[in-house]
């Protein structure tokens, strides 16, 4: 190709690629359409269903295939609203009381917008000093909230699962465990631990590590005496207690393990104490949460999920290690010799403390709402959730439900248990109740199995769940109970 042909070809290609960089007026149009869709969504959110059963389950999306030519903006937005936003759980609604709900702060959406437009690099301090400082500042603020010392450090992750993986990998390396040791390195947890712990152990290559499911008390909390006994038995058998995974707010019942007593045992046995506070962690902003999680400050590593109890949109977890160097030892790919230099520099790079390299600049979605609003509304919303759970428990008990214990945090368990029915019949009755509630969709609740009993849950987590939502949930439950006869 001669020079002139080459230049002519370049001109053609540059013109053909021009749609990738819309001008100011096109940007205004795109932004206007996206904003109009967001406004339609938010203005209707008060009456939007918390669960939408649809026949099509969004199959219409496939009518807009990716081709050589683009589709009209209105058509694309229409597909997004009809086929993506409408079906399934209304995870941004206040009526989403199933699993551990998220939220979706509007300020975070704007943070994501700015993060994406500027596309700042959040992996390394050198290229992204601002993003790294912002992330470290958020980790530092959270570490202080947990009560960890100045040596603590960590990173934002996509969620609790990856955060737990990062911590478990660090715990493995901190104890110098190699493949031949795995079948001797014992993990202590309860049957209420989130499944991502077992998954993380497997991904970390440690599927052979023996798992000890420690006995629980009547409120689904790890029993320290049972933990100590299990460890003594393992030591006697020549095994090495390696890792305790305690929960600060289990997914099923919101139970908080007795962290202080567990930390005593961890210290005595020189065992790594990991606290999975993915759901419960940010309740530390409340007086009740702080008291209930006493001992969390003694953990070797902690996981929190800002996309749960800080109401952020999905895609934001956090891992913190008591000694940031332990996370760095596992995740710094340039080699251990960087460790001291990194710490001496004062600002560590997020990529050196977590599995990802190029990554979403997710700090800004957490920073923007916190820095704009201050902590006061967050504390209020969390205190409100704690009280709403207690209020809900009172109300369903008045309806005649058998209720679980006073919640440690904001999850309530209950079931419909009329006298004279067998366990199987009671389970089936509650299952049909939950299925009926899901078809109804005004609120979205989920269930679990506790000791073979089909149990219904209510988790008050999102910032949009208020007294009115709880009253609606109770009303819908009453209607469905009456319909059951
Ligand atoms: C949600 C949750 C997880 C998993 O976190 P993801 O953000 O969904 O990956 C882990 N542990 C607990 C206790 C949780 O509630």
């Amino acid at each position: 190709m001669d020079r002139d042909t080459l230049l002519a070809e370049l001109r053609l290609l540059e013109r053909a690629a021009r749609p990738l960089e819309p001008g100011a007026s096109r940007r205004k149009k795109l932004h206007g359409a996206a904003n109009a869709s967001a406004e339609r969504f938010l203005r209707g959110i008060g009456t939007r269903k918390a669960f939408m059963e649809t026949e099509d389950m969004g199959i219409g999306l496939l009518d807009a295939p990716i081709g050589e030519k683009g589709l009209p903006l209105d058509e694309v937005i229409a597909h997004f609203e009809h086929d993506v936003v409408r079906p399934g759980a209304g995870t941004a609604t206040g009526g989403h009381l199933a699993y551990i709900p998220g939220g979706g702060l509007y300020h975070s959406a704007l943070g994501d917008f700015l993060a994406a437009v500027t596309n700042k690099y959040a992996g390394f301090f050198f290229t992204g000093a601002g993003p790294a400082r912002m992330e470290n500042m958020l980790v530092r603020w959270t570490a202080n909230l947990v009560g960890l010392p100045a040596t603590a450090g960590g990173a934002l992750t996509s969620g609790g699962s990856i955060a737990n993986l990062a911590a478990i990998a660090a715990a493995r390396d901190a104890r110098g465990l190699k493949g031949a040791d795995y079948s001797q390195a014992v993990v202590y947890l309860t049957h209420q631990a989130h499944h991502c712990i077992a998954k993380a152990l497997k991904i970390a290559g440690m599927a052979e590590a023996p798992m000890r499911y420690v006995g629980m008390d009547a409120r689904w909390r790890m029993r320290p005496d049972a933990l100590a006994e299990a460890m003594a038995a393992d030591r006697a058998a020549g095994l090495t207690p390696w890792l305790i995974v305690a929960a600060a707010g289990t997914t099923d019942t919101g139970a908080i393990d007795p962290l202080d007593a567990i930390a005593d045992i961890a210290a005595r046995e020189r065992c790594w104490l990991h606290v999975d506070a993915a759901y419960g962690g940010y309740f530390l902003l409340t007086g009740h949460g702080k008291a209930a999680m006493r001992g969390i400050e003694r953990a070797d590593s902690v996981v929190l999920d800002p996309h749960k109890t800080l109401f952020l949109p999905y895609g934001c977890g956090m891992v913190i290690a008591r000694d940031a160097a332990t996370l760095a030892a596992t995740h710094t790919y340039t080699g251990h010799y960087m460790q001291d230099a990194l710490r001496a520099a004062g600002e560590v790079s997020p990529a050196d403390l977590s599995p990802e390299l190029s990554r979403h600049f997710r700090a800004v979605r957490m920073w923007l709402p916190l820095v704009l609003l201050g902590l006061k509304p967050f504390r209020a919303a969390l205190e409100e959730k704690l009280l709403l759970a207690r209020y809900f428990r009172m109300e369903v008990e008045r309806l005649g439900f058998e209720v679980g214990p006073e919640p440690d945090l904001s999850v309530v368990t209950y079931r419909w248990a009329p006298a004279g029915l067998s366990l199987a019949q009671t389970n089936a009755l509650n299952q049909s109740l939950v299925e009926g509630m899901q078809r109804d969709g005004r609120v979205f609740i989920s269930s679990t199995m506790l000791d073979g009993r089909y149990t219904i849950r209510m988790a008050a987590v999102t910032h949009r769940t208020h007294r009115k939502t709880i009253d609606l949930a109770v009303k819908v439950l009453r209607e469905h109970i009456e319909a059951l006869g």
Side-chain angles (χ1 to χ4, degrees):
M1 198 183 278
D2 64 34
R3 191 167 180 276
D4 286 346
T5 321
L6 182 90
L7 290 178
E9 184 72 8
L10 280 174
R11 272 194 301 277
L12 280 176
L13 292 172
E14 188 176 322
R15 191 171 316 136
R18 201 161 291 158
L20 297 179
E21 187 64 287
S25 74
R26 181 68 187 155
R27 285 201 299 272
K28 194 167 171 196
K29 211 163 166 191
L30 288 166
H31 191 272
N35 192 46
S37 177
E39 282 302 314
R40 275 193 293 281
F41 179 81
L42 288 175
R43 287 178 189 178
I45 200 151
T47 51
R48 190 170 271 278
K49 281 202 164 185
F51 196 90
M52 182 65 116
E53 270 208 346
T54 64
E55 295 267 304
D56 56 77
M57 305 277 277
I59 193 80
L61 190 61
L62 305 185
D63 295 339
I66 311 295
E68 279 304 309
K69 288 187 71 178
L71 299 174
L73 178 58
D74 290 351
E75 196 180 309
V76 170
I77 296 277
H79 273 296
F80 179 73
E81 291 183 4
H82 187 269
D83 302 320
V84 181
V85 179
R86 195 178 60 102
T91 32
T93 69
H96 180 31
L97 309 171
Y99 309 105
I100 301 293
L105 291 179
Y106 188 71
H107 306 78
S108 295
L110 297 179
D112 274 354
F113 177 73
L114 293 174
V117 169
T118 59
N119 200 23
K120 291 294 287 183
Y121 196 75
F124 272 100
F125 184 72
F126 172 60
T127 45
R133 272 193 207 284
M134 185 185 282
E135 184 159 340
N136 291 341
M137 174 181 161
L138 294 166
V139 170
R140 168 55 38 211
W141 169 69
T142 305
N144 285 343
L145 184 66
V146 171
L148 293 169
T151 51
L156 290 169
T157 63
S158 56
S161 298
I162 297 302
N164 276 307
L165 171 64
I168 282 170
R172 175 197 62 199
D173 298 342
R175 291 295 184 268
L177 298 177
K178 299 281 184 285
D181 309 317
Y182 294 171
S183 61
Q184 314 289 310
V186 189
V187 184
Y188 302 85
L189 69 179
T190 73
H191 277 299
Q192 289 292 308
H194 194 277
H195 73 261
C196 74
I197 299 297
K199 186 169 169 179
L201 284 161
K202 177 147 188 232
I203 298 173
M206 302 192 67
E208 311 120 273
M211 310 272 272
R212 296 286 177 259
Y213 291 98
V214 178
M216 292 175 281
D217 66 16
R219 300 182 56 166
W220 314 103
R221 299 182 291 207
M222 186 184 283
R223 274 176 36 218
D225 61 315
L227 173 65
E229 257 170 49
M231 281 189 180
D234 285 328
R235 288 230 187 261
L239 301 174
T240 311
W242 160 54
L243 171 69
I244 304 170
V245 180
T250 60
T251 313
D252 261 359
T253 72
I256 300 171
D257 289 329
L259 302 175
D260 215 25
I262 292 172
D264 286 341
I265 297 172
R268 196 167 70 225
E269 300 279 347
R270 284 193 295 281
C271 212
W272 184 282
L273 175 58
H274 175 68
V275 177
D276 180 3
Y279 152 59
Y282 284 103
F283 278 109
L284 285 166
L285 286 166
T286 70
H288 169 85
K290 209 155 184 65
M293 285 181 257
R294 201 165 51 83
I296 194 171
E297 71 283 355
R298 299 171 67 189
D300 292 297
S301 53
V302 181
V303 161
L304 302 92
D305 256 350
H307 68 198
K308 287 173 178 162
T309 28
L310 274 187
F311 323 118
L312 262 57
Y314 291 123
C316 204
M318 186 186 286
V319 58
I320 314 180
R322 171 172 218 85
D323 183 353
T326 58
L327 278 171
T330 298
H331 296 96
T332 304
Y333 74 97
T334 44
H336 300 307
Y337 60 87
M338 288 282 291
Q339 216 162 282
D340 299 334
L342 280 169
R343 294 183 61 194
E347 288 288 343
V348 64
S349 293
D352 286 337
L353 300 180
S354 59
E356 300 168 282
L357 178 56
S358 298
R359 55 212 283 283
H360 180 51
F361 175 18
R362 49 178 80 92
V364 69
R365 59 185 3 229
M366 180 169 171
W367 174 76
L368 204 60
L370 286 170
V371 81
L372 278 175
L373 305 173
L375 292 179
K376 200 171 166 188
F378 287 91
R379 286 190 211 280
L382 289 166
E383 301 268 12
E384 180 195 21
K385 300 304 157 286
L386 295 171
L387 293 187
L388 285 175
R390 276 146 189 81
Y391 173 60
F392 176 83
R393 182 170 174 275
M394 260 176 222
E395 294 300 287
V396 289
E397 192 170 28
R398 284 193 348 163
L399 274 185
F401 278 88
E402 179 187 297
V403 295
E406 271 279 313
D408 281 356
L409 292 169
S410 67
V411 177
V412 178
T413 56
Y414 52 104
R415 63 203 270 271
W416 190 246
L421 293 189
S422 70
L423 178 61
Q425 286 169 323
T426 308
N427 284 354
L429 191 66
N430 282 278
Q431 188 173 345
S432 70
L433 182 59
V434 167
E435 286 165 3
M437 296 280 290
Q438 257 165 41
R439 277 191 299 276
D440 178 303
R442 280 174 288 173
V443 293
F444 180 33
I445 53 170
S446 63
S447 69
T448 189
M449 287 304 258
L450 291 173
D451 268 352
R453 283 194 284 270
Y454 188 100
T455 303
I456 316 179
R457 299 166 66 261
M458 189 291 296
V461 176
T462 107
H463 61 295
R464 295 195 176 106
T465 300
H466 301 298
R467 154 89 196 270
K468 202 171 69 188
T469 331
I470 298 301
D471 285 340
L472 175 64
V474 172
K475 175 171 176 266
V476 178
L477 275 167
R478 187 193 310 116
E479 288 171 14
H480 281 259
I481 289 300
E482 282 165 2
L484 283 175

